[in-house]
């Protein structure tokens, strides 16, 4: 299941055409191989061999998901070479972060609210902050969508939406925890759609809906139950989380993204801060709170010990201790994302990676052989709006 | 599996762009939550809690499928608020109808020929009959498709086609019945494609094919084996059902839909009468006949009793009794659909739901913030045909 | 899983619009029914009945996959009637070939490198060689892609890429062999993407990427591990195979396809020789070598005998014997493809199948009722490039 889900995290971004899909494909293929190696070294290295199973492939997919999130922030402003370098570093940092969280701090993060979304989003945002382009407005007219490209993006949204429950439950323990994860995610997503649509309409002065909100904010609910999905969040808890996330994410698109761009010089192409950053933090907090509140009454004594793995050196833990470690996991993720993002951003700022000029951002023809006919007049509408302005 | 199938029942309708996809998404998210509650009250209410499992999610999906069918009839002519109200009532009625059929009459309807398709289609048709718009021809030019929109719709068709076997077998008993359901559906769908294509070509005066038939009539075979799929229909029986449905459905598109619109004042935007209404009735009849003919020779004595659940108060039943109850189920579904449709239609006719004017039907820009550039000239072709006619 | 994979082998080809999708749908539906019958006669005929299970459906899907491959070579140059005749014959030949390979020669071919890809590709190439159209250049301008059609094709590519591991492992023995098949395919595909992208850029004089290579060459890695996927190829072996295939396939698109067309009069519309033909042969050779090298040390003595089925009349075999039979399987496939292709090609050359004129190739409106408005000016761009050249 998870293979398709991530396949369409890629097409979801295809508003900018060939490059979005093609580069995403490229970095995913590269990232998966590198992630297999990295995660193999950290988790399944044994007697000189890396033992490889389907679970490793799923984990590598998750890792690449984090890269795709960060790709959303720098989309259209970097060259393929820069992307590969970013992937190389990010996969490494992801593996380190995942190792610290899951193996050292022993936090629960089945759906990756912390490891994938929060880490990926703030890493990407830091990189794009370092790579700030003051004259990006020269490419501004190519940054908007057109009628058909929004429909393509909508295919991606629907796909992610449908696969999110499988995604959040993929690495859960089989049985009850897996079912819980799927059902909680489902409820949260459904609630999130309603608040996103309602708020999108309420914030528009004529009550119209904005396609960007529908494409993105509707998914925030899935991000936000990532950590807590396999816990006893209960359906009503998921509905509340989805409800809140729909509001936060839509508000983010309307007010926060323009603010980030104008005041903090963070140019967030796809608005990943609203889809992955904020809901990821919410998800981590929800996870910490849910873990803290876990009681033997709801899980059963054995169930609790079994679920959180209170054995070995964790024998003396209780749920509130687990909750504190969950919170620590969030801060570790954020710290690694920020520090790593600054380092990688500085490396990518070096002038010999073939990055496009400010006026060529969001432009496929810099990197792609384009179909000949009509390219610049009708069928490549981003161009057509540019060309008349040139002469 | 079923999650994706329904995800694309939504994209299937995207011939009219943002609204089709977006509103379908909205009503699905809303409908699923309401259906979980409704079906929870009817089927799994226990000690003050609704017990929720993956099966409930699938059943809620089925329920929403019925709403999506009805949405096909009123597509482009109602506002989002009207849609939500329709969803609210239809989900309630669906749950009542399902409760009567499955729990009181104890009919078999694994693929939902009766509960989903027949009910959904005739409910939708009744609503659109009540909401008849005499001046709809003013929007007529925007009701046709364009080259790329037909390709988008074809993605939906292929997806539904591929997932229909999983869909019809999702709630069957595991093991033999589930395999039978998948294989019967598969055979029926394959036969249906051939007759649809052949007849589409035969009915055109120059022998050309019509994309609308390929998109829709090819799926009718899946609807029509919905009830009988898990029974001993045998592959050749499925092929015959598919064969007949391909013919009926294509003939319906060519002759019946125009007749309904001009004579009976039923404006059926997507032709759901041909894809869901007629095949649903055929499916119900096929189910009744197959159940009547079920004999201990084919199923084995134990198998028969086990399959139809001849125990408890049904101990004295035989197959022909089951067949009669299947037929009764069809009439109950039709009755509830018609009466419910009239009531809901009258409610929706109230003038304060923000319905679009006749000349604004099938127009995205009434409800959506549109991409700025080129909107009305090249990339929003529905507009472009309208604008030249205006000045 | 396999149902969707093949559903999108169809949409993958939709660069030429309605006909690609529609005819592919038609021939798939027809082919599946015919394949169920043919394979039923060969493999599961018993007491006058054909026993049908889900496995038969998967095998029929595989068979249709082979037809879809051949369809890629003749795409745009044949009529629907010709396609149905080709499907009829090819399914028959496929079943004969499969029976010889799997039942008589007892070769292993889980992912169908030989039976599906090599056979399908060389069959299709032979047919298109017989059907050579000297004046095809008259339709040349309609043979290229446009911006949006490439994005549609990319959806197909991503889908096939994601499902290929499931596809190659679908008929493997459950357990270890199935996991091995999925993981090997995955590694090969990932490696193939990298070399395809790198070479595509390296071969372009300005370093730009070509969408055709990304769409096609990236999949070659999956074809090439088809035979060996369930064997002990080891991940590094898969990476090497994928690496080589990415190079071979991209080179094929750049140099071989034009050469075939100009010198050998083989007009290969979709470049199937590079995606299926060459990688299929590589896959068969890799399979033969891997089988030859299989040793009791790696598989275990029992595992080896169990995996290759060294019992019954094969008791005296060893791995090198198996390797020789694998190689023999390749030559049998090629021979049947070439001879069968010539016969079918000659039959299709008969002048009464309604084939399109040279100047109407790659043109939907010959066979399809087109949307009225704007058809020939904006939204049917293949036309729009033609029309201005006419007067």
């Amino acid at each position: 299941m998870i293979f398709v889900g991530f396949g369409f995290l890629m097409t979801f971004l295809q508003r900018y055409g060939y490059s979005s899909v093609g580069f995403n494909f490229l970095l995913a293929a590269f990232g998966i191989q590198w992630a297999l190696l990295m995660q193999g070294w950290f988790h399944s290295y044994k007697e000189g061999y890396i033992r490889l199973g389907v679970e490793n492939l799923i984990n590598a997919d998750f890792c690449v998901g984090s890269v795709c999130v960060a790709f959303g922030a720098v989309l259209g402003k970097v060259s393929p070479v820069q992307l590969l370098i970013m992937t190389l570093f990010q996969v490494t940092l992801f593996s380190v972060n995942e190792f610290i969280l899951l193996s050292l701090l022993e936090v629960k993060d089945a759906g990756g609210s912390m490891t994938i979304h929060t880490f990926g989003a703030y890493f990407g945002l830091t990189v794009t902050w370092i790579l700030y382009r003051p004259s990006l407005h020269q490419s501004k007219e190519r940054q908007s969508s057109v009628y058909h490209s929004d429909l393509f993006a909508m295919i991606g949204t629907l796909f992610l939406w449908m696969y999110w429950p499988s995604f959040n439950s993929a690495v859960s323990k089989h049985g009850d925890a897996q079912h819980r994860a799927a059902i909680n995610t489902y409820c949260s997503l459904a609630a999130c759609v309603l608040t996103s649509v309602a708020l999108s309409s309420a914030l528009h002065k004529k009550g119209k809906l904005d396609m960007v909100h529908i494409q993105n904010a509707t998914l925030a609910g899935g991000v936000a139950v990532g950590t807590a999905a396999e816990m006893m969040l209960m359906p009503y808890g998921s509905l509340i989380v989805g409800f809140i996330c729909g509001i936060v994410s839509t508000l983010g698109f309307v007010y926060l993204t323009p603010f980030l761009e104008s005041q903090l010089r963070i140019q967030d192409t796809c608005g990943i801060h609203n889809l992955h950053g904020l809901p990821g933090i919410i998800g981590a907090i929800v996870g910490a709170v849910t873990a803290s509140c876990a009681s033997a009454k709801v899980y059963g004594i054995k169930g609790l010990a079994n679920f959180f793995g209170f054995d070995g050196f964790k024998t003396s833990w209780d749920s509130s201790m687990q909750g504190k470690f969950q919170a620590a996991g969030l801060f570790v993720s954020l710290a690694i994302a920020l520090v790593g993002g600054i380092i990688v951003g500085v490396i990518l700022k070096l002038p010999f990676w073939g990055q496009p000029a400010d006026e060529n951002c969001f432009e496929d023809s810099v990197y792609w052989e384009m179909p000949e006919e009509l390219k610049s007049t009708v069928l490549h509408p981003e161009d057509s709006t540019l060309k008349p302005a040139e002469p």
Side-chain angles (χ1 to χ4, degrees), chain A residues 332-351:
Chain A
V332 170
S333 296
L334 283 175
I336 295 184
L338 293 176
V339 174
I342 290 172
I343 296 170
V344 174
V346 169
I347 294 173
L348 293 186
K349 227 179 157 62
L350 298 176

Side-chain angles (χ1 to χ4, degrees), chain A residues 31 34-44 55-66 89-120 167 171 325 328-330 332-334 336-337:
Chain A
W34 183 238
L36 280 178
L37 279 181
M38 288 304 297
Q39 298 191 325
W41 283 324
F42 275 112
H43 295 295
S44 30
E55 206 178 320
N56 298 61
L57 295 184
I58 295 179
N59 276 323
D61 259 344
F62 278 20
C63 178
V64 168
S66 162
F89 283 103
Q90 198 185 344
V91 167
T92 315
L93 288 167
F94 178 92
S95 303
V96 171
N97 183 46
E98 194 191 28
F99 183 73
I100 295 175
L101 260 66
L102 302 190
S103 300
L104 300 185
L105 297 180
E106 302 240 359
V107 307
K108 290 270 159 193
D109 197 12
S113 288
M114 285 181 276
T115 53
I116 300 171
H117 299 290
T118 310
F119 173 75
F167 170 64
V171 295
F325 272 84
L330 173 61
V332 170
S333 296
L334 283 175
I336 295 184

Side-chain angles (χ1 to χ4, degrees), chain A residues 188-212:
Chain A
S188 176
L189 282 168
C192 189
V193 173
L194 294 188
T195 46
S196 301
V197 172
L199 205 64
S200 176
S201 174
L203 292 176
H204 190 280
K205 57 185 182 298
K206 285 184 189 165
K208 291 185 184 179
L209 298 166
D210 190 329
M211 207 63 188
V212 174

Side-chain angles (χ1 to χ4, degrees), chain A residues 47-368:
Chain A
E47 293 164 26
Y49 289 94
I50 293 170
R51 278 150 199 274
L52 209 59
V54 169
E55 206 178 320
N56 298 61
L57 295 184
I58 295 179
N59 276 323
D61 259 344
F62 278 20
C63 178
V64 168
S66 162
V67 180
C68 293
V69 168
F71 180 44
V74 297
L75 185 63
K77 296 173 291 186
V78 293
S79 72
V81 177
Q82 283 178 304
L83 274 181
L84 289 180
I85 294 166
M86 192 182 90
T87 306
L88 188 74
F89 283 103
Q90 198 185 344
V91 167
T92 315
L93 288 167
F94 178 92
S95 303
V96 171
N97 183 46
E98 194 191 28
F99 183 73
I100 295 175
L101 260 66
L102 302 190
S103 300
L104 300 185
L105 297 180
E106 302 240 359
V107 307
K108 290 270 159 193
D109 197 12
S113 288
M114 285 181 276
T115 53
I116 300 171
H117 299 290
T118 310
F119 173 75
Y122 286 97
F123 182 89
L125 290 171
T126 316
V127 169
T128 197
W129 176 60
I130 301 282
L131 295 179
Y132 179 66
R133 289 163 174 274
S135 327
L136 193 64
H137 57 86
Q138 294 179 7
S139 307
K140 211 66 193 177
E141 62 274 16
R142 259 170 288 144
Q143 212 183 331
S144 60
S145 64
V146 291
Y147 196 78
H148 279 108
S149 73
D150 265 341
L151 286 182
F152 273 115
M154 204 63 201
I155 297 177
T157 301
L158 286 176
F159 247 82
L160 283 178
W161 203 86
M162 294 296 141
Y163 276 114
W164 216 290
S166 321
F167 170 64
N168 271 354
S169 63
V171 295
S172 293
K173 277 192 198 138
H174 291 280
D176 280 2
Q178 196 154 37
H179 279 97
R180 268 207 300 274
I183 293 169
N184 283 333
T185 310
Y186 205 70
C187 292
S188 176
L189 282 168
C192 189
V193 173
L194 294 188
T195 46
S196 301
V197 172
L199 205 64
S200 176
S201 174
L203 292 176
H204 190 280
K205 57 185 182 298
K206 285 184 189 165
K208 291 185 184 179
L209 298 166
D210 190 329
M211 207 63 188
V212 174
H213 305 160
I214 310 301
Q215 280 159 15
N216 291 286
T218 50
L219 295 171
V223 173
V225 291
T227 301
E230 56 175 352
M231 303 180 192
M232 283 284 190
L233 182 59
M234 306 300 284
Y236 65 85
S238 313
L239 290 174
I240 294 169
V241 172
F243 185 84
I244 294 170
C245 270
I247 293 173
V248 168
S249 187
T250 311
L251 286 174
F253 274 103
V254 177
Y255 298 114
L256 199 56
T257 302
F259 174 79
L260 284 179
E261 183 152 355
S262 59
Q263 302 300 317
L264 299 183
R265 301 159 54 106
I266 296 174
Q267 292 154 333
D268 182 2
T269 310
C270 295
I272 59 163
H273 188 242
N274 313 304
L275 173 52
H276 299 280
L278 288 178
I281 291 180
I282 293 176
I285 295 170
V286 169
V289 171
T290 316
S292 298
C293 300
S295 69
K297 200 175 143 209
V298 178
Y299 288 80
I301 293 172
K302 270 185 112 171
L304 191 66
N306 188 34
F307 180 74
F308 289 112
F310 290 156
D311 49 18
F313 78 99
K314 287 174 77 181
T315 320
S316 58
W317 286 26
D318 59 0
S319 340
S320 81
M321 193 71 179
Q322 177 75 28
K324 280 173 202 155
F325 272 84
Q326 296 280 140
L330 173 61
F331 288 108
V332 170
S333 296
L334 283 175
I336 295 184
L338 293 176
V339 174
I342 290 172
I343 296 170
V344 174
V346 169
I347 294 173
L348 293 186
K349 227 179 157 62
L350 298 176
F352 45 81
W353 303 124
Q355 44 267 74
D358 283 356
E359 65 270 26
N360 286 330
C361 286
F362 312 112
E363 171 61 63
D364 270 347
S365 62
V366 180
Y367 297 114
W368 294 86

